[in-house]
Amino acid sequence: MNMFFYKEKILSPGQLKRLSDHKYSCESLSILDSVLQPWWEWLVSKIPLWLAPNLITVIGLIINILTTLVLVYYSPDAKAEAPWWAFILCAFGLFAYQSLDAIDGKQARRTGTSSPLGELFDHGCDSVSTVFVAISACIAVQLGAYPSWMFFQCFCAITLFYCAHWQAYVSGTLRFGRVDVTEAQFTIMGIHLISAFLGPEIWSIKVPVIGIFELRHLIFVMTVVCCSVPLYQLFIDICNGGVGKNGSTVAGTSVLSPVIPLSLVIVPAFIICRKSTEHVYENHPVLYILAFGLVAAKVTNRLVVAHMTRNEMDYFDSSLIGPAMLFLNQYFNFFIPEHVVLWFCLIWVCFDLIRYSRQVCLEICDHMRIQLFKITPNTTTQNLQQQSSNRNVNADMNDVTYALNEDGTPLLDADDDEFIIYDASVA
């Protein structure tokens, strides 16, 4: 059971070695990030030192998922009106996730436990959260009444997140614009609060002056505008070539190669949706997007792993077995109802995503000799003691001189390999 149904390890020794050498590179121009820094600094100062950064991230994700599922329970078709408090709860869940996700890195630096695993774990949780956040926003404005529009909105969010890491795979740097993830999250919080206090029907009101447009159409316009900027930047990076040899990606592969795994998710999702005789998507939009969204999350995780290990990304993924069930059921016109097959698809995808994430994390933990959700007490203590020792040594540096060998190198103590020093003030 240690391999959790994997016969062989996912990451090769070479990948693990390159992962250990990986350095996080990020450029952020976000407007809200600078505004929220004081809040994040205050919040992380209240977190106990024994709390592992990855545990902070996963707690935030669980809160985000649970609060969204409450909304889904009351509006599984994204048409029914959920109770006002469910929208407030969902806004709180997103705020909690956003805040905890922002301080996990600060906690890692604070406890001296920063590692590539933390970056990978953070992006993995973000890929899952993106799906739930997109679904919750659609429920808040009752987009289930416009299934094609809901499909576009959700897959735009999923594609944008994938493209951000595609760009990092090409350029070696994860870039955030002035209006990016943080701004989108707070916009969705605002949408939830508006639906809570004014009711979801507020989004059906016609916009003054432009009478043919409803308020919810403004969300569509915002989505198109916000999508165009990062997609344009990705296009520029692809045209300019990657940081690898001959303009390739960090792994030395074609800069266009990541388009294939993404297409293997979106194209089948669209075809199955359009060819369904039982209108499986129109009748179960949330379930459908959740299933295909988690497939996209798994594929995105593999792209992040490929970037951090500087390795080629395989085109086929085992999570695609789920959508294949739906496709084959349609093609051969089986007697099994499509919504039942959709449930089997979702169950498989969840299982496959969990087992993959678990296995990758365990392999990295074993290689780096760290724990996923626990900080070894000695680690924190030793870091604090080292910082204290460094301050003391720096304060008395003028009075301390190293004992030297004949060749001028520092003389080491034979027992504990520490530098032998003498105090000039005592001498």
Side-chain angles (χ1 to χ4, degrees):
M1 290 298 291
N2 213 25
M3 296 299 291
F4 205 44
F5 302 102
Y6 276 101
K7 293 182 179 180
E8 298 178 356
K9 290 189 174 183
I10 296 175
L11 303 177
S12 67
Q15 285 179 280
L16 291 170
K17 173 65 171 62
R18 291 190 293 271
L19 180 75
S20 301
D21 298 334
H22 172 78
K23 301 297 182 185
Y24 181 51
S25 177
C26 174
E27 295 177 2
S28 178
L29 301 173
S30 172
I31 298 171
L32 285 180
D33 279 7
S34 57
V35 175
L36 292 168
Q37 283 296 334
W39 155 245
W40 294 336
E41 294 291 349
W42 177 86
L43 183 61
V44 76
S45 68
K46 303 302 177 184
I47 302 295
L49 287 172
W50 53 263
L51 191 61
N54 291 333
L55 190 56
I56 294 175
T57 311
V58 80
I59 289 173
L61 178 63
I62 291 172
I63 293 172
N64 184 211
I65 291 175
L66 292 179
T67 54
T68 302
L69 289 179
V70 170
L71 206 57
V72 171
Y73 174 80
Y74 285 103
S75 184
D77 57 359
K79 299 176 187 176
E81 182 175 341
W84 63 270
W85 56 265
F87 293 114
I88 294 178
L89 188 66
C90 202
F92 165 78
L94 180 53
F95 179 72
Y97 175 72
Q98 196 280 327
S99 297
L100 295 178
D101 184 50
I103 68 169
D104 55 3
K106 297 179 185 297
Q107 177 74 349
R109 290 186 291 273
R110 188 167 166 245
T111 56
T113 55
S114 297
S115 71
L117 175 62
E119 179 187 344
L120 176 60
F121 193 82
D122 184 274
H123 294 324
C125 289
D126 287 342
S127 68
V128 175
S129 174
T130 299
V131 180
F132 285 89
V133 171
I135 289 173
S136 72
C138 290
I139 294 175
V141 297
Q142 296 180 324
L143 274 190
Y146 308 86
S148 297
W149 185 0
M150 182 173 174
F151 185 95
F152 174 79
Q153 289 283 155
C154 290
F155 278 93
C156 263
I158 292 166
T159 301
L160 275 180
F161 187 81
Y162 183 89
C163 287
H165 290 282
W166 181 356
Q167 184 184 57
Y169 190 52
V170 171
S171 66
T173 300
L174 188 61
R175 296 191 180 98
F176 298 100
R178 290 196 173 277
V179 179
D180 217 288
V181 179
T182 307
E183 288 74 18
Q185 289 172 331
F186 273 86
T187 299
I188 293 173
M189 290 179 215
I191 290 173
H192 284 306
L193 293 177
I194 290 173
S195 295
F197 293 110
L198 301 177
E201 61 275 5
I202 188 71
W203 302 104
S204 301
I205 294 177
K206 302 290 184 181
V207 178
V209 182
I210 313 175
I212 60 173
F213 288 102
E214 299 176 355
L215 277 178
R216 60 166 60 94
H217 287 105
L218 294 177
I219 300 174
F220 174 78
V221 174
M222 289 170 58
T223 302
V224 172
V225 172
C226 292
C227 282
S228 61
V229 177
L231 289 178
Y232 173 75
Q233 186 60 52
L234 174 62
F235 176 75
I236 294 299
D237 282 347
I238 289 175
C239 291
N240 291 337
V243 295
K245 187 177 180 180
N246 298 323
S248 61
T249 66
V250 294
T253 58
S254 168
V255 294
L256 294 175
S257 59
V259 75
I260 298 176
L262 179 64
S263 300
L264 290 176
V265 178
I266 295 179
V267 173
F270 180 76
I271 293 175
I272 293 169
C273 164
R274 303 303 294 179
K275 295 292 184 181
S276 174
T277 56
E278 299 178 18
H279 304 288
V280 64
Y281 168 65
E282 287 80 358
N283 295 326
H284 309 277
V286 172
L287 186 63
Y288 192 89
I289 289 173
L290 190 58
F292 279 91
L294 292 179
V295 174
K298 167 77 181 302
V299 173
T300 304
N301 284 343
R302 290 178 53 247
L303 177 60
V304 176
V305 171
H307 167 218
M308 296 181 64
T309 60
R310 301 198 297 278
N311 199 66
E312 183 178 2
M313 184 182 179
D314 293 331
Y315 294 149
F316 178 77
D317 187 81
S318 54
S319 64
L320 294 172
I321 293 174
M325 296 179 194
L326 285 165
F327 179 80
L328 293 175
N329 186 63
Q330 280 187 3
Y331 186 81
F332 292 104
N333 197 24
F334 285 150
F335 62 89
I336 306 175
E338 285 187 288
H339 75 276
V340 174
V341 181
L342 183 59
W343 272 108
F344 278 113
C345 172
L346 177 61
I347 292 170
W348 165 255
V349 171
C350 289
F351 167 75
D352 189 62
L353 176 61
I354 292 172
R355 71 166 184 158
Y356 174 82
S357 303
R358 175 185 181 274
Q359 186 62 31
V360 168
C361 288
L362 287 178
E363 290 182 21
I364 296 174
C365 286
D366 183 61
H367 174 74
M368 303 188 72
R369 301 184 185 279
I370 56 178
Q371 298 187 56
L372 183 60
F373 294 127
K374 185 179 178 182
I375 296 177
T376 306
N378 290 339
T379 302
T380 303
T381 304
Q382 288 172 1
N383 276 293
L384 294 175
Q385 288 177 346
Q386 183 64 38
Q387 292 172 8
S388 176
S389 174
N390 289 341
R391 284 194 296 268
N392 292 336
V393 170
N394 290 335
D396 299 329
M397 189 58 70
N398 292 332
D399 296 327
V400 175
T401 305
Y402 290 104
L404 302 177
N405 291 309
E406 293 181 358
D407 58 359
T409 59
L411 181 64
L412 297 177
D413 186 278
D415 295 326
D416 54 14
D417 289 340
E418 292 183 352
F419 294 122
I420 299 177
I421 60 176
Y422 68 88
D423 193 335
S425 62
V426 174

